Amino acid sequence: MMAPPAAQCAWGLLLTFTFYMGSSCTDGASALKHHNYCIIGAGPSGLQMAYFLQRAGRDYLVFERSHAPGSFFALYPRHRKLISINKRHTGKSNSEFNLRHDWNSLLSHDSRLLFRHYSRDFFPEADTMVHYLEDFASMLELRVQYNTAIIHVRLERDSQAWNGHYFILTDHNSQNYRCSLLLVATGTWVPNVVNFPGSEYVEGYESVSINPEDFAGQSVLILGRGNSAFETAENILGVTNFIHMVSRSRVRLSWATHYVGDLRAINNGLLDTYQLKSLDGLLEGDLEDLAIVKDKKGKLHITLKFYLENSNSSAGAESITLPQDELDNFATRAPYDRVIRCLGWKFDFSIYNRSLRLMPGKGNKKKYPLIKPSYEARGTRGLFVLGTASHSIDFRKSAGGFIHGFRYTTRAVHHLLEHRHHGVPWPSSVYPITQLTNSIIKRVNEASGLYQMFSVLGDIILLRENATAFEYLEEYPVGILAKLELHTGRKAHNGLFVVIMEYGKNFSGADKDVFYYNRAVGEAEHAWQSNFLHPVIYYYKRLPTVREMRLCPPDWPLPRPDAVHHIVEDFLTDWTAPNAHILPLRRFLENCLDTDLRSFFAESCFLFALTHQKLPPFCQQGYMRMQGLVGNERLRHHAVEAGLLEDHTVMHFTDELLGGQRGSRDQLLKENVIPGSPLHYLVTTKDEL
């Protein structure tokens, strides 16, 4: 039976509409580009993570709003001089050690991409950094999509996704991207602004002139007291009438706080002119209490907000009461020609949908997103923050906000992701227990990650059963020590050591005199009082719990251990002295493990075998397995001089007088020992000594 013509027409239209809608849905799905890892920002941390993902063969894409990587450095610092050191010569050929004093290079396998090949300056130019980052991206063929500004990020729930949801990114062309995991590497680039009456007269650091001649003969007030403020002052110091600088906190010098983000010596010329009374000066005050009024001549006067509240808002500047009207020696009574804001930057939260629950930190960390010690956002699983924006973890404590710090924390995040999503355990090496002292000494003397990210990244030593061997994990975030087994795939059933670097507890601070007499400790017995950066070894019989980590004192990187050892600070940062550094460490490890970690000559192992029921690990794992160095006369002579062996020269002379009877005794002993037994090896080897 055929349908009426009208019904056939309606049915045909319905089929056409259904086909069209199906095609549209298919086209929309195909237009949604998917990647396992999406990185927002092609700055140093974004490129560093891209490198690790590429080496691991992962599916990723970097989104960069500019036409080239490192766009921040194309503008900042405004006066183009970086404060990250580029120490090209250290007297050492060890590349890992040299990274301790190279604050600009990213980590890679290509030695051509070391920053010392790009600049000879100790404090390089910012344009050189831009060039370096361009080469890093191009030479390593990193997958970066330039001229793509991500303007919105939201969540899309999906039970099949890695973390129970996808991240949907929208760019400025309304193109959408779906990502299994999101890595935010945008840094902090939004200028901090304080609003107060008259703030419209303030010029920003991001746009103020950098030509000193534009300030000739002018009086200038700078708001802020960080490196950008002092950098600006340094540029115009020689041409202005005077420069005043006001901030709510006192100046913090990096050599006193041991925090590289505080004021560096390269920019502190204004401190000289202030203390030597050459017109320039520093003041403390809350910027939100200030107000600026402009007179008919264009001069800017500083007053307090409550003076304006008590005045007629429509009155001219000349009729407004100023502080000097009541206090004739008010510090900022002189008018200014210009006021410059240099208050740093903050993270851009505007592009993230509320569904991500990406929240700012608290207090002085509110300019950073709130993240866990694993660098994952507290509100959203699968969203990790890298680079400068992750600095809330170690703000004013370590170097995580700078290239020479976050290149290591980025690598740590990559290890965490490799285990979580690909089942790759944290890289480790297994050694016999006899190598424990040597392994620690080697790392504290050359490891750059421990050195730069002091108190944040630590080496973890997991002990095997009966302490016969150990597993060594490098540069693990100690803030998540309680969840080590979850994050690394390694087991910690038999106790562990944690190796980190620390400054003295009472040595760092804005009010500290770090040049006082007897500021350094030289004796091993007083190592716990060391002030300068030095290695500290924590011993735990079991992993600390989450609660113990949470209750850890603020100035302690780790909870109270079962035992702790400080290696005494060293002027050369060379912890290889046998008596001051190695011997106390070895004895500490022996006390923790209740074993003997000394190394022995074959003759000593032979005597131990004859006189003791239990041999030291060195003899068990070496000599008894027919391993170790073959003795010779030169080694014997050295051991005798060092007091490690007895001098048997007289015994040999007596044997000669007895006509070789000693040889007969040894031959008799050999004939009565079972061939192939350990004692047979001990006896035969003894002759070689």
Side-chain angles (χ1 to χ4, degrees), residues 551-565:
L551 297 178
C552 182
D555 56 342
W556 278 65
L558 290 167
R560 183 178 297 276
D562 293 291
V564 64
H565 176 72

Side-chain angles (χ1 to χ4, degrees), residues 7 35-36 92 101 107 169 215 309 329 347 417 468 470 474 477 560 569 586 602 633:
H35 296 282
N36 287 338
K92 302 286 183 69
H101 310 287
L107 304 178
L169 281 57
F215 297 85
E309 293 173 351
N329 67 339
F347 183 78
L417 295 176
T468 57
F470 63 93
E474 298 179 359
R560 183 178 297 276
E569 62 188 342
R586 196 202 76 215
E633 190 60 33

Side-chain angles (χ1 to χ4, degrees), residues 113-128:
L113 289 171
L114 292 173
F115 203 85
R116 61 185 176 87
H117 299 312
Y118 286 77
S119 175
R120 302 176 64 88
D121 296 330
F122 189 66
F123 292 109
E125 295 293 320
D127 292 331
T128 307

Side-chain angles (χ1 to χ4, degrees), residues 165-176:
H165 52 250
Y166 289 109
F167 297 90
I168 306 301
L169 281 57
T170 304
D171 68 16
H172 64 292
N173 291 320
S174 300
Q175 172 66 55
N176 290 328

Side-chain angles (χ1 to χ4, degrees), residues 606 664-673 679 683:
F606 173 76
S664 300
R665 291 198 306 271
D666 289 347
Q667 184 63 34
L668 182 63
L669 182 61
K670 291 179 183 178
E671 292 173 354
N672 288 275
V673 173
L679 188 56
V683 172

Side-chain angles (χ1 to χ4, degrees), residues 371-408:
I371 58 176
K372 303 175 185 177
S374 61
Y375 299 90
E376 188 172 21
R378 287 194 178 274
T380 305
R381 181 176 171 84
L383 192 162
F384 287 81
V385 181
L386 309 176
T388 301
S390 69
H391 197 25
S392 61
I393 297 297
D394 61 303
F395 183 57
R396 297 202 179 284
K397 294 180 180 179
S398 197
F402 312 91
I403 291 177
H404 63 288
F406 64 62
R407 60 191 178 192
Y408 303 106

Side-chain angles (χ1 to χ4, degrees), residues 338-380:
R338 305 175 83 153
V339 179
I340 306 172
R341 167 183 42 78
C342 302
L343 300 174
W345 302 269
K346 60 184 178 181
F347 183 78
D348 181 14
F349 290 92
S350 65
I351 68 172
Y352 302 96
N353 187 275
R354 292 179 61 183
S355 61
L356 273 74
R357 294 179 293 175
L358 188 62
M359 305 296 292
K362 298 179 180 179
N364 60 1
K365 298 180 182 179
K366 63 183 179 181
K367 61 183 177 181
Y368 302 114
L370 189 62
I371 58 176
K372 303 175 185 177
S374 61
Y375 299 90
E376 188 172 21
R378 287 194 178 274
T380 305

